[in-house]
């Protein structure tokens, strides 16, 4: 009977140990579930942040592409205006040269007319 009581005491101690380990494991499970929930919230928050950053990146790339196109167009127009300015400068120089020639011809013609007029007065 003594052995039976010892065995019963031993079994009760094992049950208490098992219950204590079960309670400890249950507490650990609750703690891990809470950590998992927190991590899921963090992942969800990070996913939202990644989505927002991706949208911002897409907008920045779109704005950059548009700015690049506008720059190329402006650069092309500037180049066309530079060519036009060079052509106008050349035309102006040609016209100034022609004006100078015409002034010389006018002066020569005037001098010739004045000379003819003096000769006719002398006749």
């Amino acid at each position: 009977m003594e052995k039976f009581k010892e065995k019963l005491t031993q079994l009760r101690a094992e049950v208490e140990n098992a219950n204590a380990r079960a309670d400890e494991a249950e507490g650990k499970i609750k703690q891990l579930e809470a950590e998992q929930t927190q991590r899921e919230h963090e992942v969800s928050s990070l996913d939202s942040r990644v989505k927002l950053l991706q949208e911002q990146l897409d907008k920045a790339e779109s704005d950059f592409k548009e700015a690049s196109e506008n720059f190329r167009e402006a650069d092309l127009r500037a180049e066309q205006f530079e060519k036009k300015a060079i052509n106008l400068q050349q035309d102006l120089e040609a016209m100034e040269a022609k004006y100078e020639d015409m002034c010389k011809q006018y002066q020569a013609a005037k001098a010739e007319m004045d000379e003819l007029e003096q000769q006719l007065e002398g006749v």
Side-chain angles (χ1 to χ4, degrees):
M1 182 75 148
E2 193 62 38
K3 280 190 172 188
F4 178 72
K5 285 183 181 181
E6 284 180 25
K7 187 70 170 169
L8 188 58
T9 303
Q10 183 183 3
L11 287 174
R12 283 184 183 155
E14 287 179 17
V15 167
E16 282 183 31
N17 283 338
N19 283 335
R21 285 194 330 254
D23 289 343
E24 186 180 322
E26 199 173 289
K28 186 72 171 172
I29 288 171
K30 286 182 182 180
Q31 178 188 358
L32 291 173
E33 285 175 343
E35 288 177 10
Q36 180 182 6
T37 301
Q38 181 183 358
R39 295 256 166 35
E40 286 173 352
H41 289 308
E42 289 174 2
V43 167
S44 175
S45 176
L46 289 173
D47 284 342
S48 297
R49 181 76 175 135
V50 166
K51 183 178 178 183
L52 177 65
L53 289 172
Q54 185 62 44
E55 290 171 358
Q56 289 175 345
L57 175 63
D58 292 344
K59 173 131 178 43
E61 286 175 344
S62 174
D63 291 347
F64 177 74
K65 182 179 178 184
E66 183 179 337
S68 293
E69 289 173 5
N70 290 342
F71 174 76
R72 274 187 246 125
E73 289 173 9
D75 191 44
L76 180 62
R77 283 187 300 212
E79 189 175 314
Q80 290 170 345
F81 286 133
E82 286 174 7
K83 288 179 182 178
K84 190 172 184 178
I86 289 170
N87 288 338
L88 289 173
Q89 183 66 33
Q90 290 171 346
D91 290 348
L92 176 63
E93 290 170 0
M95 288 180 167
E96 286 175 346
K98 189 174 182 179
Y99 173 75
E100 287 178 14
D101 286 344
M102 291 183 94
C103 283
K104 288 178 184 177
Q105 288 175 3
Y106 170 76
Q107 292 298 329
K110 185 176 181 198
E112 190 176 328
M113 292 267 295
D114 287 344
E115 187 179 321
L116 281 174
E117 188 178 319
Q118 284 179 359
Q119 286 176 0
L120 287 176
E121 284 178 5
V123 170

